[in-house]
């Protein structure tokens, strides 16, 4: 864990007067002052943001946000604004484009030959720090003295991604978070979590965002959140893919250039930065911390899979809204500076990741011990609660260093697959084909029938989740890969893995991958039996099969040695049906084929 300054922390906890109704039930807070407070404009200033106009405790609603940004865009030749699509309830999802040339289209932005940063706020709309920080930064680049930030870099800024949930606003929405006064809802209007949807793309919001990524082609993607969980000293934490993942060159750039410069800027401005923090046990820090290798359902895991360096920012929910917004501003500003300075190396790292074409692709990961971290935490005690009847944590607000805490992380490759040259998706699986297209995966329909030698997964023992998860019934199954020769009809979709998004295609199509379309339930109908044979028909069929096939008769005799099978009349009849030409030869077989 990086060394950071603790000067912003006072010696004793102070429960100051704040406008947040949950202050009384949350742990004690530290009084805070930092250099970043100089970024705040007086509420009476013509270009103060709604955040600054309303006591640094409120965040504007959707309409007020759009009106203020629209006024700013109309005032500056550096800015343009586009809608990337409509939400389920019909609201525009706005994106501000900031560039030295005032580019208003992807083509115009591309002509600048500058690296482009995409900043996204409000994917969980109650965690809205990035919106207010971004508005302040855009203001200072157009109305203040920071126009030079755009000399060597472009900025795309989505102030609210989950716009419908943003308008489900209330002061009671996030009990574990200190402000703003009114906060949006975590999930969208269909109660789906957008930051679990990057792989499956069930939500309009994420479909629009991925299309925007494909069209505008950012080189760095920042996703701004606020934490839940334990108390600690850090106010701005952030992380990204791991070295062992799918984009190792991007990881090296982020570790070598990005993290040191951003942490230095935050520290200089009175903030306490750190890596993403997840406790293995929220009631016992001695058990250690988790180092997270995210799967493609999450923004940073998705970025790893598609080789778009993606940073997950998690501001600490127990720090006041003002402190979190200012820390986010500092991080965004330094991001522009760092990418401007090291943009060529960033683009080179992305290129290296896109074209590395590793032949063995990890599909699952084992959790193994990592190097220990010195953790800047907060002291706590355990007390037996009369309410719950069990021990609960009582944070005392006092800074405490926990030296060399153990760390566990899912960084050891487990199940691997050999990169196939092609996948083949039958045309009837149109939803899967559509989602692959939204992701930007290149596909080619066959214009004539082809007879090919391919591999196919055959499943057994499917296990379905007992509870719905993100609107889907997830499934796992044991699988056996067999070689087949088959004729593919016209219209079958061929997907080459020798493409920039080849790794992403593999993770979406290999059934053992945790975020494959298979495990998300897109193919669940292959587990449904639709044709049957009556007992009165299978009896004479079985007798005929035994009379005509001595090997089958011997196999049946051996099967009868299993007492449970021998005593199960239905199983005995099913045994013959499964070996007859009447049996469904597609039952529990994966329709997606792969080249050998």
């Amino acid at each position: 864990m990086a060394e950071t300054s603790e000067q912003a922390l006072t010696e004793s906890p102070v429960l100051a007067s704040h406008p947040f109704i949950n202050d009384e039930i949350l742990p004690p807070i530290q009084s805070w002052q930092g250099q970043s407070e100089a970024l705040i404009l007086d509420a009476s200033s013509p270009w103060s943001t709604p955040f600054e106009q309303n006591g640094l405790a409120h965040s504007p609603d959707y309409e007020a946000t759009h009106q203020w940004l629209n006024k700013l865009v109309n005032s500056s030749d550096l800015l343009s604004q586009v809608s990337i699509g409509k939400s389920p309830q019909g609201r525009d999802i706005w994106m501000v484009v900031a560039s030295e040339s005032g580019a208003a289209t992807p083509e115009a932005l591309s002509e600048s030959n500058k690296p482009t940063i995409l900043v996204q706020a409000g994917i969980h709309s109650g965690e809205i720090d990035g919106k207010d920080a971004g508005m302040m930064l855009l203001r200072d680049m157009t109305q203040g003295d920071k126009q030079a930030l755009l000399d060597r870099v472009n900025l795309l800024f989505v102030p609210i991604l989950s716009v419908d949930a943003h308008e489900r606003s209330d002061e009671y929405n996030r009990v574990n978070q200190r402000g703003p006064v009114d906060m949006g809802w975590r999930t969208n209007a269909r109660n789906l979590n957008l930051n679990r949807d990057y792989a499956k793309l069930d939500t309009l919001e994420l479909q629009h965002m991925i299309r925007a990524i494909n069209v505008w082609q950012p080189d760095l993607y920042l996703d701004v959140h606020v934490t839940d969980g334990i108390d600690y000293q850090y106010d701005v934490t952030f992380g990204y893919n791991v070295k062992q993942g799918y984009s190792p060159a991007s990881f090296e750039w982020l570790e070598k250039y990005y993290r040191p410069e951003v942490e230095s800027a935050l520290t200089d401005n009175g903030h306490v930065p750190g890596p993403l923090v997840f406790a293995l046990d929220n009631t016992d820090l001695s058990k250690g911390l988790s180092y997270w290798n995210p799967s493609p359902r999450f923004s940073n895991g998705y970025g790893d899979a598609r080789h778009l360096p993606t940073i997950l920012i998690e501001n600490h929910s127990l720090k006041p809204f003002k402190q979190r917004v200012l820390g986010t501003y500092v991080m965004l500003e330094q991001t522009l500076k760092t990418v401007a300075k090291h943009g060529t190396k960033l683009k080179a790292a992305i290129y290296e990741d896109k074209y590395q074409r590793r032949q063995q692709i990890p599909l699952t990961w084992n959790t193994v011990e990592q190097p220990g971290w010195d953790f800047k935490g907060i002291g706590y005690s355990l007390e037996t609660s009369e309410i719950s009847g069990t021990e609960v944590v009582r944070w005392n607000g006092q800074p405490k260093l926990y030296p060399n805490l153990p760390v566990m992380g899912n960084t050891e490759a487990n199940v691997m697959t050999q990169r196939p040259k092609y996948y083949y998706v039958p045309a009837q699986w149109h939803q899967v084909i559509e989602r692959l297209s939204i992701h930007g995966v290149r596909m080619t329909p066959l214009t004539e029938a082809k007879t090919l030698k391919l591999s196919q997964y055959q499943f057994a023992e499917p296990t379905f989740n007992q509870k719905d998860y993100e609107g889907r019934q997830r499934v796992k199954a044991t699988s056996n890969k067999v070689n087949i020769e088959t004729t593919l009809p016209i219209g079958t979709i061929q997907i080459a893995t020798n493409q920039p998004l080849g790794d992403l295609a593999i993770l979406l199509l290999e059934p053992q991958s945790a975020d494959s379309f298979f495990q998300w339930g897109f193919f669940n109908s292959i587990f449904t039996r639709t044709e049957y044979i009556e007992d009165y028909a299978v009896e004479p069929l079985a007798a005929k099969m035994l009379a005509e096939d001595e090997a089958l008769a011997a196999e049946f005799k051996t099967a009868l040695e299993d007492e449970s099978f021998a005593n199960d009349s239905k199983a005995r009849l099913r045994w013959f049906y499964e070996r007859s030409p009447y049996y469904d030869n597609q039952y529990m077989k994966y329709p997606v084929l792969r080249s050998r």
Side-chain angles (χ1 to χ4, degrees):
M1 183 168 285
E3 288 298 320
T4 53
S5 170
E6 297 183 22
Q7 294 177 353
L9 297 171
T10 60
E11 292 299 321
S12 60
V14 177
L15 186 59
S17 176
H18 286 280
F20 309 128
I21 60 170
N22 53 344
D23 261 337
E24 292 184 359
I25 63 173
L26 293 180
I29 60 174
Q30 299 285 325
S31 64
W32 177 83
Q33 288 182 313
Q35 295 292 333
S36 59
E37 291 178 298
L39 299 167
I40 300 168
L41 281 190
D42 186 83
S44 63
S45 172
W47 282 108
S48 60
T49 66
F51 163 71
E52 294 163 317
Q53 295 165 16
N54 290 284
L56 311 176
H58 295 258
S59 187
D61 65 15
Y62 172 86
E63 188 59 34
T65 300
H66 177 55
Q67 287 180 358
W68 190 91
L69 282 171
N70 205 41
K71 176 184 173 183
L72 186 70
V73 169
N74 291 337
S75 74
S76 174
D77 292 336
L78 301 175
L79 304 181
S80 62
Q81 188 171 217
V82 298
S83 171
I84 65 172
K86 296 279 190 181
S87 73
Q89 292 182 338
R91 295 180 177 89
D92 282 298
I93 301 172
W94 294 104
M95 182 172 75
V96 177
V97 184
S99 66
E100 187 180 36
S101 62
T105 66
E107 295 77 17
L109 198 71
S110 178
E111 289 174 1
S112 72
N113 291 318
K114 299 175 183 177
T116 296
I117 300 164
L118 169 59
V119 175
Q120 165 188 289
I123 188 172
H124 295 153
S125 64
E127 305 166 23
I128 203 61
D129 306 2
K131 177 188 73 176
D132 297 281
M135 292 167 73
M136 291 174 64
L137 181 59
L138 287 172
R139 181 267 317 283
D140 292 343
M141 290 193 295
T142 56
Q143 307 299 323
D145 59 358
K146 296 185 177 181
Q147 182 173 338
L149 289 172
L150 296 174
D151 285 352
R152 299 176 62 186
V153 69
N154 306 313
L155 174 64
L156 306 172
F157 175 58
V158 177
I160 315 166
L161 180 60
S162 190
V163 290
D164 297 339
H166 187 276
E167 295 311 279
R168 186 182 170 181
S169 181
D170 195 273
E171 60 183 343
Y172 294 100
N173 275 357
R174 281 183 61 79
V175 66
N176 306 312
Q177 181 176 307
R178 281 194 166 95
V181 169
D182 291 301
M183 292 176 271
W185 197 248
R186 181 176 178 84
T187 50
N188 78 350
R190 293 175 54 208
N191 204 34
L192 296 176
N193 188 333
L194 301 188
N195 200 30
R196 304 297 183 271
D197 195 42
Y198 276 87
K200 60 185 174 67
L201 292 182
D202 280 341
T203 61
L204 283 178
E205 297 94 333
L206 256 293
Q207 292 180 15
H208 296 324
M209 176 53 67
I210 300 307
R211 288 190 182 102
I213 287 172
N214 286 324
V215 169
W216 292 88
Q217 288 292 304
D219 301 287
L220 187 65
Y221 184 19
L222 274 67
D223 181 20
V224 187
H225 291 248
V226 180
T227 67
D228 294 303
I230 64 175
D231 199 2
Y232 44 73
Q233 299 172 40
Y234 311 101
D235 56 355
V236 180
T237 69
F238 60 98
Y240 29 79
N241 64 295
V242 301
K243 182 177 182 178
Q244 298 86 347
Y246 308 103
S247 300
S250 296
F251 172 85
E252 292 295 341
W253 184 90
L254 290 163
E255 284 285 284
K256 183 176 181 180
Y257 300 107
Y258 187 81
R259 182 173 289 279
E261 294 185 9
V262 167
E263 289 196 340
S264 178
L266 284 164
T267 302
D268 290 346
N269 279 275
H271 297 276
V272 184
L276 285 180
V277 173
F278 304 101
L280 294 176
D281 182 341
N282 285 356
T283 66
D284 186 356
L285 279 179
S286 68
K287 292 182 179 178
L289 306 172
S290 171
Y291 180 57
W292 185 36
N293 180 12
S295 74
R297 76 187 62 171
F298 304 97
S299 61
N300 47 335
Y302 180 74
D304 184 24
R306 71 172 290 147
H307 314 305
L308 169 59
T310 301
I311 298 163
L312 177 65
I313 301 172
E314 288 279 6
N315 295 328
H316 190 211
S317 61
L318 296 177
K319 303 298 187 290
F321 184 52
K322 164 190 164 182
Q323 182 178 351
R324 303 196 319 261
V325 169
L326 295 179
T328 306
Y329 181 113
V330 172
M331 185 165 185
L332 299 185
E333 180 180 9
Q334 184 57 48
T335 296
L336 291 170
K337 293 177 180 178
T338 296
V339 174
K341 184 178 179 182
H342 305 291
T344 301
K345 291 183 175 66
L346 172 61
K347 284 181 173 288
I350 295 170
Y351 185 90
E352 181 179 339
D353 289 331
K354 282 184 175 180
Y355 294 97
Q356 63 178 322
R357 304 286 194 268
R358 67 172 73 179
Q359 293 305 300
Q360 291 288 323
I361 306 297
L363 301 178
T364 65
W365 303 86
N366 292 324
T367 297
V368 294
E369 189 169 357
Q370 313 287 321
W373 288 354
D374 289 342
F375 176 62
K376 294 184 176 182
I378 296 293
Y380 70 95
S381 59
L382 294 177
E383 297 179 7
T384 300
S385 167
E386 295 182 0
I387 305 298
S388 66
T390 189
E391 287 189 325
V392 296
V393 170
R394 303 294 188 201
W395 303 101
N396 62 30
Q398 296 289 345
K400 179 178 179 180
L401 180 67
Y402 296 81
N404 197 32
L405 282 183
V407 179
M408 302 298 292
N410 54 328
T411 59
E412 180 182 78
N414 182 16
V415 175
M416 308 277 284
T417 190
Q418 180 74 21
R419 176 187 293 270
K421 187 174 182 181
Y422 296 110
Y423 288 100
Y424 295 93
V425 183
Q428 64 267 27
W429 297 97
H430 54 87
Q431 190 180 48
V432 168
I433 296 166
E434 175 200 21
R435 301 296 166 85
L436 288 166
S437 177
I438 296 172
H439 280 298
V441 174
R442 299 171 187 167
M443 299 176 287
T444 305
L446 297 185
T447 57
E448 59 182 25
K450 282 188 176 182
T451 300
L452 299 171
K453 294 180 178 180
L454 302 170
S455 294
Q456 182 178 37
Y457 290 102
Q458 297 184 351
F459 298 121
E461 302 174 343
T463 303
F464 298 91
N465 277 18
Q466 295 302 305
K467 294 183 179 180
D468 167 274
Y469 179 62
E470 292 300 317
R472 288 191 167 271
Q473 186 182 29
R474 285 179 57 83
V475 62
K476 290 184 179 180
T478 60
S479 62
N480 178 39
K481 189 166 62 177
V482 298
N483 292 332
I484 63 170
E485 182 172 339
T486 188
T487 299
L488 303 177
I490 293 173
T492 300
I493 300 299
Q494 177 180 276
I495 301 168
T497 64
N498 185 28
Q499 60 169 297
L501 296 182
D503 289 352
L504 177 61
I506 291 170
L507 294 176
L508 294 173
L509 293 174
E510 284 294 324
Q512 287 178 293
S513 169
D515 280 323
S516 64
F517 290 127
F518 171 78
Q519 290 202 25
W520 276 114
F522 282 74
F523 295 98
N524 279 3
S525 58
I526 69 173
F527 297 108
T528 302
R529 292 273 301 275
T530 58
E531 291 289 353
Y532 303 88
I533 186 170
E534 299 293 347
D535 291 357
Y536 61 74
V538 73
E539 285 280 358
L541 174 64
K544 184 173 182 291
M545 293 168 65
L546 288 171
E548 294 177 352
D549 190 336
E550 292 183 3
L552 182 73
E555 185 182 354
F556 182 58
K557 183 178 180 181
T558 301
L560 290 174
E561 294 174 3
D562 183 331
E563 185 176 350
S564 62
F565 173 77
N567 293 328
D568 188 339
S569 60
K570 293 293 185 182
R572 290 169 65 158
L573 293 177
R574 186 168 60 248
W575 190 92
F576 285 98
Y577 176 42
E578 290 174 353
R579 287 156 178 77
S580 78
Y582 296 98
Y583 189 69
D584 179 6
N585 64 7
Q586 295 303 312
Y587 180 53
M588 292 211 292
K589 292 183 179 179
Y590 192 37
V592 177
L593 307 177
R594 47 177 281 161
S595 55
R596 295 184 191 175

